[in-house]
Amino acid sequence: MTATATAAAPTRPANRLGFVLLHIYVLGICAVLLGGFLVQFGRGEYPCPLCILQRMFMMLAALGPVFVIARSRTQAVSTREFAAGYGMSVVASVCGAAVSARHIMLHIKPPDAGYGSTVWGLHPYTWAFITFTVAILAAGGSLALARELEPLDSRSTALSTTVLWIFGAIVLANLLAVFALEGLHWFLPGDPVRYQLLYDLGIAS
């Protein structure tokens, strides 16, 4: 038996950095979505259809990394799966950035003050555009370093469980919020002024 045949194939160590970055990516998007809820419920503002669409694309942008995290809990993640997760995020972020840019352009001409209030001087849809831009850059960088960042081993950690539950809760909360805004109707008004579901049920006037 030759030395080549008996030599063990070299293995790379498990990559904790890539694993941690996946969680930071998802938590960052979740934080922005929670900020949207703070504006909606804390300031009593109703998101328009374009706002809801931007939230949907943010959730889709996080869905790819969420898939990779969930996959890594039961088995090693391949380079193809790792790249597919971030690739999905890039596509969703590009679409979301286009929607945000459209929203910005609708209110860019003075003296239009924009839709809703501002957060640190910028409207939520402007922050959404910034978020999508950062998401594209982060996902693109992770794709460029996919072989170095892919989590090679399977691990089930409290952090992963927490992140997955937070993301699931935010998705469910957005579904309920949209249902409350739209009520038993096919379309959400362009400038909503109430939670239509409560009005339809006679709970609010």
Side-chain angles (χ1 to χ4, degrees), residues 41-144:
F41 297 108
R43 299 185 179 181
E45 298 183 5
Y46 302 97
C48 68
L50 284 177
C51 299
I52 296 299
L53 196 57
Q54 289 164 75
R55 293 185 187 183
M56 290 180 177
F57 278 121
M58 283 188 191
M59 289 183 280
L60 285 175
L63 190 59
V66 163
F67 160 76
V68 179
I69 292 173
R71 184 78 165 177
S72 67
R73 286 164 55 84
T74 57
Q75 63 186 63
V77 176
S78 67
T79 304
R80 181 177 182 178
E81 292 168 334
F82 184 82
Y86 274 116
M88 181 188 300
S89 183
V90 170
V91 173
S93 296
V94 168
C95 294
V99 175
S100 299
R102 167 63 175 166
H103 206 165
I104 293 171
M105 295 303 292
L106 287 174
H107 303 285
I108 199 171
K109 184 178 179 180
D112 194 326
Y115 183 84
S117 60
T118 61
V119 178
W120 294 324
L122 298 176
H123 287 90
Y125 45 83
T126 305
W127 282 114
F129 182 83
I130 295 172
T131 300
F132 286 124
T133 302
V134 173
I136 292 170
L137 293 175
S142 296
L143 283 172

Side-chain angles (χ1 to χ4, degrees), residues 1-9:
M1 186 176 293
T2 64
T4 303
T6 58

Side-chain angles (χ1 to χ4, degrees), residues 184 195-205:
L184 304 176
Y195 290 100
Q196 189 63 37
L197 179 63
L198 302 181
Y199 178 81
D200 292 341
L201 296 176
I203 300 175
S205 58

